Amino acid sequence: MLTVFDSTIMLHREYFPFLPTPASVPRGPVDQPTLEAEAPEGWWDESASVLFGAAEQIAKLLHDASDCGSEMLIPFVGFCAFSAAYMNLYAFLFPQMNLGRSSDAETHLKYCLAYLEKFRHVWKLGESWVSTELSHLTVPD
């Protein structure tokens, strides 16, 4: 399942702005290259739901596995956690990009960060992800 959710993130994330404005809502790419044709009505809203839903599902899977004592501290799962952390952070900071549907984005972000904290002690790669990408992030407890 992680493969499906991570692939979903990669496919849908490509079309969302890197840094939206506070007034931004889901819509087609704003950076080059833009799309030539308009999307069907409601497509971008559905794409946002699928994108952030996949990040939420990864976070929940990581959390449930941790609760059961069966975390898989391997690079692919670490990458999935990193991808989900990034998207949950995005939804937390820019809730309008998922039309307010990510009310638990902060909790899901914390699930991913908790996994990455354990992962970083097992794999050097995890240390670099946490120290270079997420070290500046402080999420309230």
Side-chain angles (χ1 to χ4, degrees), residues 5-80:
F5 293 134
D6 204 50
S7 296
T8 299
I9 289 173
M10 294 301 119
L11 289 170
H12 287 267
R13 173 63 186 103
E14 185 66 25
Y15 298 106
F16 282 75
F18 182 70
L19 288 174
T21 66
S24 296
V25 294
R27 63 185 180 104
V30 294
D31 303 315
Q32 295 294 329
T34 57
L35 301 176
E36 293 178 17
E38 289 292 319
E41 188 173 331
W43 195 91
W44 294 112
D45 295 352
E46 179 63 23
S47 178
S49 178
V50 169
L51 168 66
F52 296 109
E56 177 181 318
Q57 290 302 316
I58 290 173
K60 287 178 179 180
L61 285 169
L62 295 171
H63 180 70
D64 290 349
S66 177
D67 278 355
C68 295
S70 25
E71 293 174 310
M72 294 188 303
L73 298 171
I74 59 174
F76 177 72
V77 177
F79 179 72
C80 291

Side-chain angles (χ1 to χ4, degrees), residues 17 24 27 36 53 85 88 95 104 106 111 117 121-122 136:
S24 296
R27 63 185 180 104
E36 293 178 17
N88 282 303
D104 293 333
E106 181 179 9
Y111 291 167
E117 185 59 35
H121 297 291
V122 176
H136 64 282

